[in-house]
């Protein structure tokens, strides 16, 4: 009796399935949504839906889910995106299907209209003093925000001493939102921060040491439901000297909890760190065991990180593991400076993906 390897059998089965689908007119299809949609709101009403689409307009339609009722309206297709505006706003709580002929290519549901305005929860860095070579600013919102136009249309920076608006941010075609679309990353122009690049030589740094600036977030910015912020967000900050040193974990201070307690483990960085990366790059392990579950919270204007465990500390050896991509406010990570020439000498310096800090709970 011949033994056929399982991999060969699997390949044969796949071939037969493909042949079967071909002979039955490509009848084997995945029953999944093929495109994502975004519902746009105005005055608490769902007034349009947008989705990625590159096919013909002929045969395209919006239908009430599980029915034959067609939604009347107008399609607009441009540069791989399609927008549909119904004659009457979509009904709250109703599900809809996007169909091309008899094929459903997308589905969406209309939620309930909001009654509360979105809020600008935080601006990072939170300190009122930043380095001259500040690299990023984060905006945190209470709700997903609209993807309409350019986010920089709602953001302005004013030089306080000269009483004039200054362009400091890098304009990007694909804006840097998180998956929930409630956190936006704004990059100060890196070409002006790196001292060996032409933009820096021609225009100088985006921020100038010894000066003050005001960051304003427009009250007219709308969330995904069409609700405006209603209040202008303001942050004033002073620009100090340039940060030309990378973070060194061996210089951090660690506050060790007592055994049997739920006290937090605290790391003092002795400088402000990138607010997003600081909560993404740390893990705490007990020696020889898996990661300890818990929550991470930034404190002291992002100069300290607090780890609160789910279970009490036991006596023993522990390790804090931090990814080397962690950055300070100037974009200097644990391996390299952001503004540096990688010559032969610096390229040969030892680097690592992770750093480790050992401590004992006694």
């Amino acid at each position: 009796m011949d033994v056929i390897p399982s991999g060969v059998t699997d390949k044969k089965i796949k071939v037969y399935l493909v042949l079967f689908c071909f002979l039955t007119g490509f009848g084997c299809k995945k029953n999944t949504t093929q495109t994502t949609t975004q519902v746009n709101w105005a005055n608490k009403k769902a007034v349009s839906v947008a989705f990625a689409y590159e096919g013909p307009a002929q045969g395209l339609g919006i239908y009430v889910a599980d029915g034959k009722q067609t939604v009347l309206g107008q399609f607009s297709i441009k540069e791989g995106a399609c927008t549909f505006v119904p004659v009457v706003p979509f009904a709250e709580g109703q599900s809809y299907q996007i169909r091309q002929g008899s094929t459903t290519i997308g589905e969406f549901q209309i939620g309930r209209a909001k009654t509360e305005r979105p809020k600008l929860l935080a601006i990072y860095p939170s300190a009122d003093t930043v380095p001259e070579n500040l690299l990023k600013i984060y905006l945190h919102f209470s709700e997903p925000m609209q993807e309409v136009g350019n986010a920089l249309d709602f953001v302005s920076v004013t030089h306080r001493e000269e009483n004039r608006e200054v362009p400091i941010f890098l304009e990007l075609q694909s804006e840097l939102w998180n998956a929930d679309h409630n956190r936006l990353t704004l990059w100060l122009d890196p070409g002006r921060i790196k001292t060996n690049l032409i933009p820096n030589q021609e225009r100088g740094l985006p921020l100038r040491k010894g000066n003050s600036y005001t960051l304003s977030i427009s009250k007219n910015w709308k969330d995904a439901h069409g609700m405006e912020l209603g209040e202008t967000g303001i942050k004033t900050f002073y620009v100090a000297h340039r940060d030309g040193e990378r973070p060194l974990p061996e210089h951090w201070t660690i506050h060790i909890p007592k055994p049997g307690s739920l006290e937090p483990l605290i790391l003092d960085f002795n400088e402000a760190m990138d607010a997003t990366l600081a909560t993404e790059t740390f893990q705490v392990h007990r020696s020889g065991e898996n990661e300890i579950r818990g929550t991470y919270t930034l404190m002291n204007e992002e100069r300290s990180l607090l780890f609160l465990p789910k279970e009490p500390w036991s006596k023993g050896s522990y390790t804090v593991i931090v990814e080397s991509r962690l950055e300070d406010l100037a974009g200097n990570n644990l391996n390299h400076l952001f503004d540096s020439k990688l010559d032969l000498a610096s390229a040969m310096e030892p680097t690592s993906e992770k750093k480790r800090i050992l401590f004992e709970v006694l």
Side-chain angles (χ1 to χ4, degrees):
M1 176 178 174
D2 295 330
V3 178
I4 302 175
S6 61
V8 175
T9 304
D10 292 343
K11 289 180 180 179
K12 287 186 177 182
I13 292 173
K14 291 178 181 177
V15 171
Y16 294 151
L17 286 173
V18 171
L19 181 59
F20 175 77
C21 289
F22 179 80
L23 293 177
T24 55
F26 299 99
C28 299
K29 297 179 180 178
K30 293 181 180 179
N31 186 25
T32 59
T33 299
Q34 298 177 6
T35 186
T36 56
T37 61
Q38 175 182 313
V39 178
N40 300 312
W41 295 72
N43 299 321
K44 302 182 183 180
K45 295 182 180 180
V47 296
S48 68
V49 63
F51 53 94
Y53 183 74
E54 295 182 350
Q58 185 177 4
L60 193 61
I62 305 289
Y63 295 80
V64 176
D66 303 324
K68 297 182 179 180
Q69 181 181 350
T70 305
V71 179
L72 299 178
Q74 183 175 1
F75 286 99
S76 175
I77 302 174
K78 184 179 180 181
E79 297 179 354
C82 181
T83 301
F84 176 77
V85 180
V87 173
V88 178
F90 294 109
E92 293 183 10
Q94 179 64 58
S95 297
Y96 297 89
Q97 294 178 339
I98 306 170
R99 300 179 191 171
Q100 173 55 257
S102 60
T103 302
T104 299
I105 63 172
E107 298 178 349
F108 61 96
Q109 185 176 32
I110 306 301
R112 300 296 178 184
K114 285 183 50 185
T115 58
E116 295 184 1
R117 292 183 182 275
K119 296 179 181 179
L120 177 63
L121 298 178
I123 300 175
Y124 292 106
S126 61
D128 57 9
T129 300
V130 301
E132 187 181 36
N133 51 343
L134 175 70
L135 184 60
K136 286 176 281 186
I137 290 178
Y138 296 101
L139 305 180
H140 288 239
F141 299 92
S142 62
E143 301 290 338
M145 302 300 286
Q146 274 191 356
E147 286 189 78
V148 178
N150 190 332
L152 292 182
D153 293 339
F154 303 97
V155 179
S156 63
V157 178
T158 302
H159 190 293
R160 290 173 60 83
E161 286 77 10
E162 299 177 0
N163 193 28
R164 64 182 178 90
E165 187 173 339
V166 290
I168 68 171
F169 295 115
L170 180 67
E171 292 194 29
L172 298 171
Q173 288 186 344
S174 298
E175 296 174 341
L176 301 177
W177 290 95
N178 65 341
D180 293 330
H181 217 265
N182 59 4
R183 186 191 72 213
L184 176 65
T185 305
L186 297 172
W187 280 69
L188 281 73
D189 192 339
R192 296 174 61 187
I193 294 175
K194 283 183 171 286
T195 53
N196 59 330
L197 296 183
I198 293 177
N200 171 267
Q201 297 171 2
E202 292 182 345
R203 302 176 60 194
L205 290 165
L207 303 175
R208 300 200 316 241
K209 181 175 67 174
N211 292 270
S212 299
Y213 298 82
T214 297
L215 172 68
S216 299
I217 311 302
S218 173
K219 64 180 181 180
N220 299 323
W221 205 343
K222 297 179 180 179
D223 68 8
H225 285 80
M227 296 283 287
E228 295 182 346
L229 287 174
E231 295 182 3
T232 301
I234 299 291
K235 177 179 177 60
T236 299
F237 56 92
Y238 174 80
V239 179
H241 59 82
R242 186 181 189 86
D243 183 355
E245 298 182 359
R246 59 186 174 88
L248 297 173
E250 55 267 32
H251 291 171
W252 297 347
T253 302
I254 184 168
H255 301 272
I256 301 173
K258 297 178 181 178
S261 73
L262 285 171
E263 294 177 351
L265 173 74
I266 301 175
L267 286 171
D268 288 333
F269 304 124
N270 303 316
E271 65 172 317
M273 304 300 284
D274 182 290
T276 295
L277 293 176
T279 56
E280 295 179 347
T281 54
F282 283 87
Q283 291 184 2
V284 179
H285 289 250
R286 185 168 182 183
S287 296
E289 298 182 10
N290 294 330
E291 179 184 2
I292 297 175
R293 295 181 304 127
T295 57
Y296 295 88
T297 305
L298 286 169
M299 302 171 54
N300 190 23
E301 297 178 337
E302 300 82 68
R303 298 172 64 89
S304 302
L305 183 68
L306 180 150
F307 172 73
L308 194 63
K310 296 287 187 182
E311 299 177 359
W313 297 96
S314 301
K315 290 184 178 181
S317 300
Y318 293 82
T319 304
V320 176
I321 301 176
V322 52
E323 298 176 39
S324 295
R325 64 188 180 96
L326 174 66
E327 298 175 356
D328 59 22
L329 299 185
N332 306 313
N333 65 32
L334 303 190
N335 285 328
H336 298 295
L337 296 175
F338 177 76
D339 184 16
S340 66
K341 273 189 168 183
L342 288 179
D343 53 23
L344 181 60
S346 59
M348 293 181 66
E349 290 182 2
T351 61
S352 63
E353 294 183 0
K354 297 179 180 179
K355 306 289 185 180
R356 287 171 168 78
I357 303 171
L358 305 180
F359 68 96
E360 297 277 342
V361 174
L362 302 174

